[in-house]
Amino acid sequence: MAKNENKDQKNSIETTRVDENSKNQQLENFREDPNEQYLTTDQGVRISRTDDSLKAGSRGPTLMEDFHFREKMTHLDHESIPERVVHARGSGAHGYFQVYESMADLTKAKFLQDPSQKTPVFVRFSTVVGSRGSADTVRDVRGFATKFYTQEGNYDLVGNNIPVFFIQDAIKFPDLVHAIKPQPDKEMPQASAAHDTFWDFASLMPETAHMLMWVLSDRAIPRSFRMMEGFGVHTFRLVNAQGEGSFVKFHWKPLLGVHSLVWDEAQKLAGKDPDWLRRDLWEAIETGEYPEFELGIQMIPEGDEHAFAFDILDATKLIPEELVPVRRIGKMTLNRNPDNFFAETEQVAFHPGNVVPGIDFTNDPLLQGRLFSYVDTQINRFHSSNFTEVPINRPVVPVHNQQGAGFMRQTINKGKVNYFPNSLGGGYPKMASEQEGGYVHYTEKVEGHKIRERSKSFKDHFSQATLFWKSMSAGEKKRIVQALHFELGKVESKEVRIRMVNEILNHISYELATMVAQGIGVDAPSIAVGSKVKDVAGTIKDKAVHALSGGKTVEDSPALSIDRNNKSNSIKSRKVAILADNGFSNIEVMSVKQALQTQGAKVSLVSMFKGKIKSTEGEELEVDKSHITTGSIMFDAIFIPGGKESVEKLKKQGEALHVINEAYKHGKPIGAINEGIELLMASSIGQAITIASAEEKRKPVVEKGIVTLQNSQDFTAFNEAFIQAIAQHRHIVVREERAMVPA
Ligand code: HDE
């Protein structure tokens, strides 16, 4: 008895300690380090020679008894497992999460109580549609899945970078995935929605309208995984120790702000560096630029379940932040790259059904269907339900149950008892009371007739799509139209294009439908429809008015816009290229480089060839990147130092001129000092900018995100202006009236 009491004390949830290193320490037991070791077979036998198979004579047939050959080849033959049916391409990172203050009033989840506790996490970012080897920068939703290794077991927040979804009911998911994936006859196109079947489906499914707007916006081409928001999408439920529930929406807010690529850049990156986002994440962590995200919650008291003009169980709707503000409750820091892609990033298995006490589900029919799908597909990937024993998937707390056996079982369960109830095994493993950390499902009252029907409260498909459109900046609107020109421009069926314009876009906005029609060979709609809408109670209202009962309405939501609300003004980890050749001004290079690096930017010297280039002052600098291996698309800003000889050489290099034109076209800040300005004027942007007038010379001049300094050594003022231009990230709108610059 006394022995069991001690054991209980040891096993108590209160005394279970988890800290930042718990997961790393657990993984250490499984790591293999080849350093200074002999090559062996899987049986541990040392190998004397691995370059030749065992043969009957050096020109004779290979012998069956060559166990080393057989084993080596067999492993290669079986190295692949099925890729994920969606979200196949992903990148992972380890880190930790820390809550800012106890959330005990809302949830009893232990990892959300103590601000001094660091809970280990593993995050996997992904694209959705493309296969494992597809490009990172395609237009797509990004997955943002987080596994919290808590002292009460694993909690998975399996979200996306877009707060809503295409469909309302999980039963439509196979149709959606079939429509958007490559067509079944010719397996084309790869990693793209721009084809007939997807837009055919979308044009017939008005519930996709809101999500389509997000996917067509800049959100779907993030500049970095570190610079995008994450969302839990569904309404979940938090439950406190008193058993009181409240509804919650989860958000991740990146501390670097939200930033995107432009479409032309994204497409080019897909060719020049298909690993763009993966590399960015990896390098940021390697160089100590740890990605940070704050966890935010929107809290809806249980009594407000029906207070909105939409249904909070409908995953095609968000709750405008202007109605229910996002409270930031903690921070996640990603600080360690995986040791092995396959063992960790590929084998990690997330599941929205992995919850801990204090976090519970709602009846959102999309969420309910997900609760079935994840384990089902994981059994297909791993051919066994024992995938939970793979190191990356193990909780950091002990697992005791009678679910033994199956392919590749690792755990050796002791004893003859594998059932419950039992007396022969002392009744163990035993049940935990709620106080002992036992999971108790929220006792929601549910009643209803069995029926295959959509709730009437899910019927309004356009109001939030309209709210999104109306909340965009002028530039964002323009880019949504361009995205539609691309996506629908690739659709061969005119019927589908017409239906998209009339049955979907015109219901979102007449302005949008008209602008899109113009670019895709379809007549503009003759009348505006859908500016009014019926709410759940049948009242006719203006569209995109989101009322919380009590009167507050939202007709414009800046929180939806990147341009208007979500940027940061830091240049931390931004990449800047210095274009130079022999005969550059070293003093200018050094001054600008140092100023940028002090602010956390990464600076690279780019020239025609690798090797060293010499400055006018005689200093030699190592070139970081040659033109052939890089391009403007791999940088956030460009700087051209003076130095007559260098600039004269660059003027004759199409590569250097192309960097300037393209960076200009993509809205990127460009800085130039003294003779460097001549290179700008020699490029096509010479026609787009005027550069400083005589009296403005000697101090930096900023025009359309181009910062110049002439006849002056006042680099401090130049650097300040250049840094400010970089902090604004893009200067697209102000440049667009001079669209003749080629790129
Ligand atoms: Fe998923 N989803 N999903 N999904 N999902 C999968 O599970 C599914 C949805 C999300 O990095 C699959 O293990 C259904 C919404 C992420 O490993 C699969 C429905 C959201 C990941 C699956 C949805 C997500 C997945 C494929 C509609 C945001 C990648 C491989 C009812 C809240 C996780 C796998 C990782 C992966 C099913 C919709 C996020 C097939 C049935 C909404 C981030 O089980």
Side-chain angles (χ1 to χ4, degrees):
M1 189 66 189
K3 194 175 155 215
N4 279 346
E5 265 172 23
N6 268 341
K7 220 172 167 185
D8 289 352
Q9 175 86 28
K10 206 177 89 204
N11 291 342
S12 137
I13 287 281
E14 300 307 328
T15 53
T16 308
R17 289 303 305 168
V18 166
D19 63 32
E20 187 189 350
N21 295 317
S22 303
K23 187 67 192 175
N24 197 13
Q25 280 159 2
Q26 185 195 47
L27 292 177
E28 186 56 27
N29 300 321
F30 299 94
R31 289 189 181 117
E32 181 271 342
D33 182 356
N35 203 20
E36 297 182 12
Q37 302 297 327
Y38 290 107
L39 180 73
T40 73
T41 64
D42 278 346
Q43 310 306 320
V45 176
R46 289 182 184 174
I47 302 294
S48 60
R49 184 171 177 134
T50 191
D51 290 341
D52 295 290
S53 55
L54 187 69
K55 293 181 281 286
S58 60
R59 297 183 63 249
T62 302
L63 297 177
M64 187 72 107
E65 71 182 58
D66 186 351
F67 54 81
H68 177 44
F69 166 78
R70 289 196 326 263
E71 183 187 87
K72 196 172 169 181
M73 193 60 81
T74 305
H75 266 272
L76 176 78
D77 295 344
H78 295 265
E79 261 176 19
S80 61
I81 62 169
E83 64 174 36
R84 289 165 176 80
V85 63
V86 283
H87 296 266
R89 180 168 178 83
S91 310
H94 290 274
Y96 64 87
F97 173 80
Q98 217 172 353
V99 73
Y100 289 148
E101 55 181 327
S102 170
M103 301 303 296
D105 54 331
L106 292 175
T107 176
K108 59 186 172 182
K110 289 275 184 279
F111 79 106
L112 295 175
Q113 308 296 318
D114 178 1
S116 72
Q117 192 193 341
K118 293 181 176 174
T119 301
V121 297
F122 185 76
V123 173
R124 184 174 179 272
F125 300 108
S126 49
T127 51
V128 179
V129 179
S131 57
R132 228 184 102 177
S134 58
D136 277 345
T137 58
V138 296
R139 178 176 296 283
D140 198 357
V141 184
R142 299 299 183 288
F144 189 144
T146 308
K147 196 179 275 295
F148 297 81
Y149 302 97
T150 89
Q151 67 265 53
E152 295 175 289
N154 289 350
Y155 168 55
D156 292 356
L157 180 53
V158 195
N160 280 340
N161 76 330
I162 288 179
V164 289
F165 202 60
F166 290 107
I167 47 169
Q168 297 175 317
D169 188 317
I171 200 166
K172 294 304 297 165
F173 191 66
D175 298 300
L176 166 74
V177 174
H178 283 173
I180 203 165
K181 281 265 184 181
Q183 289 174 205
D185 49 355
K186 48 184 182 273
E187 174 87 338
M188 286 194 274
Q190 177 56 240
S192 169
H195 57 118
D196 283 48
T197 56
F198 176 66
W199 290 103
D200 180 30
F201 177 79
S203 68
L204 296 166
M205 292 279 294
E207 71 199 63
T208 61
H210 186 199
M211 174 88 165
L212 288 178
M213 296 306 290
W214 285 82
V215 172
L216 293 161
S217 77
D218 299 341
R219 299 270 182 168
I221 39 172
R223 156 68 180 79
S224 159
F225 288 136
R226 304 174 290 133
M227 301 173 195
M228 61 183 204
E229 289 184 280
F231 303 90
V233 176
H234 314 280
T235 301
F236 288 91
R237 200 188 303 267
L238 294 180
V239 185
N240 66 17
Q242 292 71 49
E244 294 156 351
S246 36
F247 294 109
V248 66
K249 290 269 192 193
F250 290 111
H251 296 245
W252 287 115
K253 300 273 187 190
L255 292 193
L256 288 176
V258 183
H259 300 282
S260 292
L261 301 169
V262 295
W263 183 227
D264 181 60
E265 186 185 22
Q267 286 181 290
K268 289 171 174 168
L269 275 171
K272 276 218 170 190
D273 188 3
D275 304 309
W276 175 253
L277 294 179
R278 178 176 288 185
R279 191 185 311 286
D280 171 273
L281 180 67
W282 181 275
E283 285 178 356
I285 293 174
E286 287 300 294
T287 56
E289 295 284 347
Y290 298 143
E292 292 174 312
F293 297 86
E294 282 183 318
L295 181 65
I297 56 167
Q298 281 179 300
M299 231 283 295
I300 305 105
E302 197 149 280
D304 282 351
E305 179 172 1
H306 302 290
F308 298 86
F310 50 88
D311 197 325
I312 61 168
L313 299 185
D314 172 359
T316 66
K317 305 296 185 297
L318 51 80
I319 302 181
E321 290 187 27
E322 291 76 8
L323 274 186
V324 179
V326 174
R327 172 177 165 199
R328 298 181 184 222
I329 65 165
K331 192 174 79 175
M332 173 167 77
T333 307
L334 300 179
N335 59 2
R336 193 162 59 80
N337 278 317
D339 291 299
N340 185 282
F341 182 89
F342 180 80
E344 296 168 80
T345 310
E346 192 59 16
Q347 292 206 103
V348 69
F350 295 94
H351 176 26
N354 290 345
V355 288
V356 289
I359 302 181
D360 212 320
F361 314 110
T362 61
N363 299 327
D364 170 347
L366 198 74
L367 172 60
Q368 292 285 322
R370 290 180 74 201
L371 298 179
F372 164 73
S373 173
Y374 286 69
V375 170
D376 187 39
T377 201
Q378 279 146 15
I379 291 171
N380 183 52
R381 285 209 291 136
F382 298 101
H383 285 293
S384 167
S385 46
N386 286 325
F387 65 85
T388 53
E389 295 185 311
V390 167
I392 192 69
N393 293 325
R394 283 175 187 244
V396 290
V397 289
V399 173
H400 299 288
N401 58 43
Q402 286 135 351
Q403 286 145 206
F407 283 116
M408 307 307 295
R409 180 71 178 172
Q410 310 288 302
T411 306
I412 304 168
N413 297 94
K414 293 205 292 186
K416 64 181 168 193
V417 168
N418 59 356
Y419 54 89
F420 194 87
N422 68 70
S423 66
L424 298 179
Y428 292 116
K430 61 179 181 170
M431 303 300 119
S433 68
E434 198 173 344
Q435 289 65 36
E436 290 165 326
Y439 190 95
V440 178
H441 289 266
Y442 184 68
T443 49
E444 183 185 6
K445 186 166 182 234
V446 184
E447 246 178 329
H449 297 282
K450 274 189 212 167
I451 191 158
R452 231 180 242 286
E453 193 181 83
R454 196 75 56 96
S455 166
K456 285 193 182 62
S457 54
F458 282 37
K459 284 268 148 63
D460 164 24
H461 301 316
F462 295 113
S463 304
Q464 291 211 349
T466 307
L467 177 67
F468 186 85
W469 170 253
K470 281 170 64 173
S471 305
M472 294 292 103
S473 71
E476 286 173 320
K477 280 185 172 171
K478 198 165 177 179
R479 293 191 290 278
I480 288 174
V481 171
Q482 286 166 350
L484 275 156
H485 284 171
F486 178 90
E487 296 282 322
L488 295 177
K490 293 238 175 190
V491 170
E492 285 166 22
S493 160
K494 190 161 184 183
E495 192 192 313
V496 169
R497 279 180 272 146
I498 293 173
R499 201 162 51 228
M500 268 308 297
V501 168
N502 291 293
E503 304 303 322
I504 307 288
L505 301 178
N506 199 23
H507 290 258
I508 299 172
S509 152
Y510 179 65
E511 177 199 20
L512 168 67
T514 311
M515 288 192 287
V516 172
Q518 198 183 33
I520 58 165
V522 165
D523 290 339
S526 48
I527 47 155
V529 290
S531 58
K532 303 277 176 196
V533 71
K534 253 190 206 169
D535 73 6
V536 186
T539 320
I540 308 268
K541 300 187 164 159
D542 271 348
K543 272 256 233 51
V545 173
H546 288 279
L548 183 66
S549 66
K552 205 176 159 203
T553 60
V554 176
E555 284 184 71
D556 174 32
S557 174
L560 303 178
S561 158
I562 298 178
D563 279 358
R564 295 172 64 200
N565 198 52
N566 284 300
K567 290 184 164 177
S568 84
N569 55 6
S570 151
I571 70 162
K572 236 173 120 193
S573 85
R574 290 280 160 169
K575 295 181 174 146
V576 184
I578 300 181
L579 290 194
D581 210 314
N582 282 314
F584 63 91
S585 159
N586 194 45
I587 183 171
E588 292 172 12
V589 167
M590 286 306 151
S591 158
V592 174
K593 187 173 173 180
Q594 203 192 3
L596 294 175
Q597 283 176 340
T598 309
Q599 299 290 316
K602 309 269 179 220
V603 182
S604 305
L605 185 61
V606 177
S607 197
M608 190 52 120
F609 298 117
K610 278 212 146 183
K612 287 194 166 143
I613 54 173
K614 204 170 186 174
S615 69
T616 45
E617 297 95 327
E619 257 91 5
E620 285 194 326
L621 292 185
E622 194 74 45
V623 172
D624 297 301
K625 303 238 152 80
S626 57
H627 280 301
I628 203 161
T629 61
T630 189
S632 86
I633 52 173
M634 291 176 181
F635 296 95
D636 296 294
I638 310 292
F639 170 62
I640 307 126
K644 199 161 180 46
E645 190 193 337
S646 164
V647 171
E648 284 309 316
K649 286 202 171 87
L650 295 180
K651 276 191 202 168
K652 294 186 193 102
Q653 294 171 4
E655 288 83 352
L657 295 168
H658 182 62
V659 166
I660 295 169
N661 288 342
E662 197 175 44
Y664 181 85
K665 190 81 171 187
H666 295 159
K668 291 174 182 171
I670 303 175
I673 298 184
N674 295 324
E675 294 92 348
I677 299 169
E678 290 172 27
L679 186 67
L680 297 186
M681 301 318 279
S683 76
S684 300
I685 74 172
Q687 344 156 24
I689 53 168
T690 46
I691 308 291
S693 61
E695 64 274 17
E696 282 169 324
K697 287 178 183 174
R698 296 177 189 284
K699 51 182 181 148
V701 177
V702 186
E703 192 189 349
K704 296 176 183 168
I706 296 182
V707 186
T708 50
L709 180 73
Q710 254 175 316
N711 301 336
S712 167
Q713 298 285 307
D714 188 1
F715 302 134
T716 313
F718 171 84
N719 288 335
E720 271 170 26
F722 191 35
I723 287 168
Q724 216 187 2
I726 302 175
Q728 289 170 48
H729 304 284
R730 305 250 180 193
H731 305 263
I732 292 185
V733 174
V734 288
R735 291 180 187 174
E736 272 184 353
E737 71 270 25
R738 297 294 186 108
M740 79 274 254
V741 174

